Amino acid sequence: MNAMPPLQKQRKLSLKERYAHLTRGLGWETTYQPMDKVFPYISYEGIKIHDWDAWEDPFRLTMDAYWKYQAEKERKLYAVIESFAQNNGHLNVTDARYINALKLFLTGVSPLEYSAHRGYAHVGRHFVGAGPRIACQMQAIDELRHAQTQIHTMSHYNKFFDGLHDARHMHDRVWYLSVPKSFFEDACSAGPFEFLTAISFSFEYVLTNLLFVPFMSGAAYNGDMATVTFGFSAQSDEARHMTLGLEIIKFMLEQDEGNVPIVQKWIDKWFWRGYRLLGLVSMMMDYMLPKRIMSWAEAWEMYFEQAGDALFEDLSRYGIRKPKYHEVASKEKHRLSHEVWSIFYNYTHAAAFHTWLPSEEEMKWLSAKYPDTFDKHYRPRFKCWSEMQAEGKRFYNPTLPQLCVTCQIPMGFTEPDDPTTICFRSTEYKGERFHFCSDGCKDIFCDEPEKYVQSWLPVHQIYQGNCGGAEVKDVLAWYHLNFGVDNFDYEGSPDQKLWDEWQAQKASNAV
């Protein structure tokens, strides 16, 4: 009997070949249904793609490698979370005021991770090319993992502090959370290319450092090592997301010169929408952290003005300029956080976290960081409110504010060149008048009025009786807020009382 020939050892595939087999090798042309019916959203935005294979993923990450890396990160993260809980890590934060930043993050940011998960799963289904489909699939899993790990990390604080008990419900109902919610619903209701421009480029690439770095650095400065760890766990994912954002923009611009004006319009829109959303972050950085890392103005200069100049200089060869109204955002960097914090101080009785007036030491810091604006415009305001509070007349705004139809933030922002005058814009559409906080928000509305006339504005809904009732307590019950516990000032709150008891006990044990 003849001997079997020896088996030839198969050549090991290169990373590039392996990536091609596990992405483009899985794609095919449909036969029993035309491609335009299988992928109906590819053409209606006006974007022209001539060669889907031109899409390049610099990471060339395949699904088997993805699971391996993520599993290792999960093991390390949950070990830290378990250690944090066992060692009562919540007692090591600088001050219980810091927990209010976590309340804002859990109700305003973590649900956006889940919305991003759904958005990427949806648009990944509607891309013809296998490369972007795989990239979107991985990012969809990333975003789901981020939502889960953030909730698991911060759930420890829910055992001891108020206001962390029903973040998902609050995100869908609480008035100020309509700002981040409407941002993502706007993106998810757009086409697939606009969604990627909105989230992958404008938010993940251009603005994500202004969200991610302040929150994670603030956690580190204030002793919250569990939150720092989930930040590190997501860091490599964010690097891939930023790369995907830049790749999608260059891919569209290189495919057809007719794509340039469409992409520019989207960059203008989503820069402004993202910037308005980050007003919440500016407030957190300058007012909510007991130990501050940097001011909002410094962060804006570092992460947008410097990094943005380099980015848009690179994109200028495609015909892309810096976003419209970027100069307005830079003018507002010296007053944005003060205006947003003032809005929340007005309406803290209807918020899911506590507010307070800055101490004299904190106002010295604000004065040093904002020498041209704070002492002139905002210190007198805080001094007046402090005197009223000392007389037992703590200022609350008893009326509901007018909202911007586009960004849904109360009309508290000032004119770009006059910080003493509220910025107010309006337009008429089909016999109705609509109001805006800025030229940027008005432009966005006027470009797609049929979309934004459908905005679910919390103040309008409350007045129409759609939010639990006519009284503040009825609305807060509909929000699932515990009246007198989750809201009002930090001073005298259950959180402060509990924290003071812990600190007294710690001092007693040390003696």
Side-chain angles (χ1 to χ4, degrees), residues 24-42:
R24 291 167 177 79
L26 300 177
W28 71 91
E29 294 280 330
T30 58
T31 54
Y32 61 90
Q33 287 290 340
M35 291 286 281
D36 59 349
K37 279 193 174 183
V38 178
F39 301 100
Y41 299 136
I42 281 301

Side-chain angles (χ1 to χ4, degrees), residues 275 282 286-287 295-301 305 327-340 366-379 414 416 419:
Y275 165 68
S282 73
D286 285 347
Y287 286 91
S295 68
W296 167 255
E298 290 170 328
W300 183 258
E301 291 167 0
E305 291 180 356
E327 71 285 354
V328 175
S330 291
K331 288 179 181 178
E332 291 183 352
K333 69 186 177 186
H334 297 296
R335 57 181 191 260
L336 179 66
S337 64
H338 317 306
E339 292 173 351
V340 177
L366 290 165
S367 178
K369 296 297 182 181
Y370 299 98
D372 298 328
T373 57
F374 183 78
D375 286 340
K376 182 178 181 181
H377 300 295
Y378 306 107
R379 183 186 286 270
T414 51

Side-chain angles (χ1 to χ4, degrees), residues 333-400:
K333 69 186 177 186
H334 297 296
R335 57 181 191 260
L336 179 66
S337 64
H338 317 306
E339 292 173 351
V340 177
W341 184 250
S342 296
I343 291 171
F344 277 93
Y345 185 83
N346 274 237
Y347 296 103
T348 190
H349 54 291
F353 59 86
H354 305 297
T355 59
W356 53 87
L357 290 173
S359 66
E360 187 59 38
E361 181 182 353
E362 289 168 337
M363 285 198 285
K364 286 180 181 178
W365 183 88
L366 290 165
S367 178
K369 296 297 182 181
Y370 299 98
D372 298 328
T373 57
F374 183 78
D375 286 340
K376 182 178 181 181
H377 300 295
Y378 306 107
R379 183 186 286 270
R381 176 187 297 175
F382 293 143
K383 183 179 178 181
C384 174
W385 284 342
S386 180
E387 291 171 353
M388 291 175 68
Q389 189 167 5
E391 296 170 2
K393 301 176 182 178
R394 200 277 193 198
F395 176 74
Y396 294 102
N397 195 325
T399 62
L400 300 183

Side-chain angles (χ1 to χ4, degrees), residues 1 44 51 56 80-81 83 99 104 117 147 176 194 199 206 217 253 281 289 298 336 351 381 439:
M1 186 172 65
Y44 92 100
D51 180 15
E56 287 293 339
V80 172
I81 293 175
S83 174
I99 307 302
L104 182 62
H117 151 70
Y176 59 89
E194 184 179 350
I199 307 304
V206 179
S217 300
L253 297 174
V281 180
L289 297 179
E298 290 170 328
L336 179 66
R381 176 187 297 175
D439 292 312

Side-chain angles (χ1 to χ4, degrees), residues 17-302:
E17 291 171 325
R18 181 178 176 77
Y19 172 75
H21 280 302
L22 291 175
T23 53
R24 291 167 177 79
L26 300 177
W28 71 91
E29 294 280 330
T30 58
T31 54
Y32 61 90
Q33 287 290 340
M35 291 286 281
D36 59 349
K37 279 193 174 183
V38 178
F39 301 100
Y41 299 136
I42 281 301
S43 58
Y44 92 100
E45 294 172 290
I47 294 293
K48 301 178 181 67
I49 304 297
H50 304 293
D51 180 15
W52 281 100
D53 287 337
W55 177 286
E56 287 293 339
D57 179 3
F59 289 89
R60 294 194 171 89
L61 187 62
T62 54
M63 192 52 71
D64 56 340
Y66 175 85
W67 293 122
K68 177 182 175 182
Y69 297 145
Q70 299 298 64
E72 182 63 27
K73 289 195 293 185
E74 292 280 285
R75 281 193 292 270
K76 294 177 180 178
L77 171 62
Y78 281 94
V80 172
I81 293 175
E82 181 65 24
S83 174
F84 186 83
Q86 289 182 0
N87 290 282
N88 291 322
H90 61 283
L91 298 178
N92 296 322
V93 299
T94 49
D95 187 325
R97 289 183 303 165
Y98 164 75
I99 307 302
N100 291 284
L102 295 184
K103 295 175 187 179
L104 182 62
F105 191 96
L106 186 64
T107 56
V109 178
S110 296
L112 299 186
E113 304 274 15
Y114 184 74
S115 297
H117 151 70
R118 297 187 64 188
Y120 279 102
H122 175 73
V123 301
R125 155 64 181 86
H126 291 288
F127 280 131
V128 174
R133 278 210 303 268
I134 296 292
C136 287
Q137 177 190 13
M138 290 183 186
Q139 183 153 351
I141 302 169
D142 284 341
E143 305 293 2
L144 180 60
R145 174 178 170 270
H146 294 173
Q148 292 171 338
T149 55
Q150 289 165 18
I151 292 168
H152 291 165
T153 301
M154 287 182 272
S155 65
H156 175 76
Y157 291 99
N158 185 45
K159 301 174 185 176
F160 306 99
F161 297 98
D162 298 306
L164 295 155
H165 56 282
D166 206 350
R168 179 73 256 180
H169 180 92
M170 292 180 186
H171 182 76
D172 288 338
R173 299 192 179 198
V174 176
W175 60 275
Y176 59 89
L177 296 176
S178 73
V179 176
K181 185 173 187 285
S182 69
F183 174 90
F184 252 86
E185 288 183 345
D186 191 352
C188 289
S189 58
F193 287 109
E194 184 179 350
F195 176 87
L196 286 190
T197 306
I199 307 304
S200 292
F201 180 73
S202 295
F203 199 75
E204 294 269 16
Y205 194 92
V206 179
L207 299 173
T208 193
N209 283 333
L210 286 159
L211 169 66
F212 199 78
V213 175
F215 264 112
M216 298 311 124
S217 300
Y221 268 59
N222 287 275
D224 181 7
M225 299 317 296
T227 298
V228 173
T229 305
F230 88 58
F232 281 135
S233 180
Q235 194 171 28
S236 60
D237 301 336
E238 297 299 333
R240 279 190 292 104
H241 301 173
M242 293 176 70
T243 303
L244 173 63
L246 188 57
E247 180 63 31
I248 183 62
I249 289 295
K250 290 185 175 181
F251 175 70
M252 288 191 288
L253 297 174
E254 290 171 355
Q255 285 294 305
D256 195 289
E257 63 181 12
N259 295 340
V260 174
I262 300 173
V263 171
Q264 182 68 65
K265 184 179 76 168
W266 288 342
I267 291 174
D268 292 345
K269 170 186 174 180
W270 288 104
F271 163 78
W272 190 257
R273 290 233 58 191
Y275 165 68
R276 274 292 182 246
L277 172 59
L278 290 177
L280 296 173
V281 180
S282 73
M283 168 186 76
M284 182 276 297
M285 291 182 68
D286 285 347
Y287 286 91
M288 299 180 75
L289 297 179
K291 287 183 67 177
R292 294 161 177 80
I293 44 172
M294 65 172 71
S295 68
W296 167 255
E298 290 170 328
W300 183 258
E301 291 167 0
M302 180 182 299

Side-chain angles (χ1 to χ4, degrees), residues 398-409:
T399 62
L400 300 183
Q402 187 175 47
L403 301 181
C404 173
V405 173
T406 304
C407 70
Q408 305 196 11
I409 298 175

